[in-house]
Amino acid sequence: MKLIIQIPCYNEAGTLAIALDHLPKVIDGVDEIEYLIINDGSSDATIDVAREWGVHHIVNFKQNQGLSRGFIAGLDGCLRCGADIIVNTDADDQYEGSDIEKLIRPILDGEADIVIGTRPIDEISHFSYIKKKLQHIGSWAVRKASDTDIPDAPSGFRAFSREAAMKLNVVNDYTYTLETIVQAGRERIPMTSVPVRTNEELRPSRLFHGMYEYIKKSVLTILRAYVMYKPLKAFMLISMPFVILGLAIGIRFLYFFAHDGGGGHIQSLLLACTLIIIGVLIFVIGLLADVIAANRKILQDVQYHLKRHEYDGNKETD
């Protein structure tokens, strides 16, 4: 049983060694523990720090690609190196490294394929009151969109089985945390969460530059993921107000038509027809999106089998 701990890095020379020092070296039930960093176009000495510390694997981007692409590239690197379990953590030492054993235990026991570390949000001193509330609201929205009960959706401290890692895809450029939960929930990948601890802040977050940007990007990510995995329901919800309002105005026109011939109310009839047509067109778009989603599922299944053939073939060769 091989565990690979991956760490996305972007100019993390000042904190990387601290985070690496706190990672476990031995875990009961794990035969090998290796470490992998994703150097996302760093311009400082991040790679030198990693090599000096003794990191086993380095995935290197010459130019910054963003957290999502770095995360997927890390999964790919871990799978190619024969990982049975992959843990993703941060280079700023936000998460308590010794909790990795607790994080992977449900996978080792065969209870889940994805495990999310739940932070004590309300107890984190460097989180403002507004940020704490937004974290809770965002997690609630992800739970509704994914049909899961994950309490801390934005947490980047998570573990994946080999099977789960081969099934995941991320299409947004902002963050993998929200989309992967929605995907896993909709694809019925066994998922759970465990409470974890956090450390004192070593540097400010670089993922967003303000609360407005955080809210905007998070909302768009959740909506996009929901539409991707439940397109018919999403477009039906959008179309219903147009159809209902159009029918209400149409009924109003029929009432006046029955009483006085509808004189002076032709505008209502035109508006009702326009709203109903818009609603029907949106519903038709939903039907087309649903067909595309079905094709995407087929492509994902093909991609999964190709990955399994490639990665497991490499593992047998190794």
Side-chain angles (χ1 to χ4, degrees):
M1 180 67 67
K2 177 187 282 191
L3 165 66
I4 297 184
I5 303 171
Q6 71 169 36
I7 307 177
C9 297
Y10 178 60
N11 292 334
E12 303 287 3
T15 60
L16 180 58
I18 299 173
L20 288 168
D21 286 339
H22 289 163
L23 297 180
K25 309 300 184 292
V26 178
I27 295 178
D28 185 35
V30 175
D31 302 311
E32 300 176 70
I33 299 179
E34 296 181 356
Y35 311 95
L36 177 146
I37 71 161
I38 304 102
N39 176 43
D40 194 11
S42 298
S43 57
D44 64 359
T46 295
I47 291 184
D48 295 332
V49 171
R51 287 173 176 161
E52 183 179 345
W53 191 89
V55 169
H56 300 82
H57 314 286
I58 297 176
V59 175
N60 189 49
F61 288 144
K62 295 180 180 179
Q63 184 176 354
N64 182 260
Q65 300 293 317
L67 187 58
S68 292
R69 292 185 182 181
F71 169 76
I72 291 298
L75 292 186
D76 177 75
C78 291
L79 290 168
R80 291 182 185 278
C81 294
D84 296 296
I85 301 175
I86 301 168
V87 166
N88 186 88
T89 188
D90 287 354
D92 61 358
D93 199 39
Q94 176 183 173
Y95 306 103
E96 180 61 52
S98 60
D99 283 340
I100 287 179
E101 181 171 4
K102 182 194 302 184
L103 193 69
I104 69 172
R105 188 56 55 187
I107 297 177
L108 290 173
D109 294 341
E111 299 172 358
D113 284 323
I114 299 177
V115 184
I116 312 294
T118 300
R119 299 165 293 177
I121 297 295
D122 294 325
E123 300 174 14
I124 300 178
S125 59
H126 59 269
F127 277 14
S128 67
Y129 175 81
I130 295 177
K131 185 173 182 178
K132 291 175 182 179
K133 293 303 178 185
L134 289 175
Q135 293 272 339
H136 289 308
I137 293 171
S139 295
W140 172 84
V142 171
R143 287 196 296 273
K144 293 300 181 182
S146 60
D147 288 336
T148 64
D149 58 355
I150 302 301
D152 186 9
S155 171
F157 195 38
R158 47 185 68 188
F160 306 89
S161 70
R162 187 175 180 82
E163 282 289 303
M166 286 192 283
K167 292 178 180 177
L168 291 178
N169 290 286
V170 179
V171 297
N172 82 88
D173 294 327
Y174 171 52
T175 178
Y176 62 89
T177 56
L178 309 180
E179 184 178 340
T180 49
I181 292 178
V182 175
Q183 181 187 355
R186 294 300 176 182
E187 298 295 332
R188 299 293 187 267
I189 300 175
M191 180 167 48
T192 189
S193 63
V194 296
V196 297
R197 296 164 294 173
T198 58
N199 298 315
E200 290 299 318
E201 184 179 38
L202 296 181
R203 61 160 177 76
S205 173
R206 298 172 182 164
L207 188 57
F208 59 93
H209 302 291
M211 207 58 68
Y212 171 76
E213 182 185 2
Y214 171 75
I215 296 172
K216 180 183 72 173
K217 289 186 176 181
S218 296
V219 169
L220 290 176
T221 299
I222 295 170
L223 288 176
R224 184 179 184 183
Y226 184 79
V227 171
M228 279 183 60
Y229 295 102
K230 282 289 183 179
L232 185 57
K233 184 176 181 180
F235 281 98
M236 186 181 296
L237 291 173
I238 296 172
S239 70
M240 282 178 61
F242 291 95
V243 174
I244 292 172
L245 184 58
L247 289 174
I249 295 173
I251 292 171
R252 176 179 178 273
F253 171 80
L254 291 176
Y255 172 80
F256 286 111
F257 182 81
H259 283 75
D260 57 14
H265 298 285
I266 299 300
Q267 297 93 333
S268 297
L269 177 61
L270 293 175
L271 179 60
C273 292
T274 301
L275 290 172
I276 292 173
I277 290 171
I278 291 173
V280 170
L281 288 175
I282 293 174
F283 179 73
V284 171
I285 292 173
L287 291 174
L288 294 175
D290 193 57
V291 173
I292 294 172
N295 289 331
R296 177 183 50 76
K297 289 182 180 179
I298 295 173
L299 291 173
Q300 282 185 336
D301 189 56
V302 172
Q303 182 188 50
Y304 163 73
H305 284 91
L306 287 173
K307 285 182 177 179
R308 188 170 183 176
H309 175 75
E310 179 182 1
Y311 296 142
D312 288 353
N314 290 341
K315 191 173 181 181
E316 290 173 4
T317 302
D318 295 340

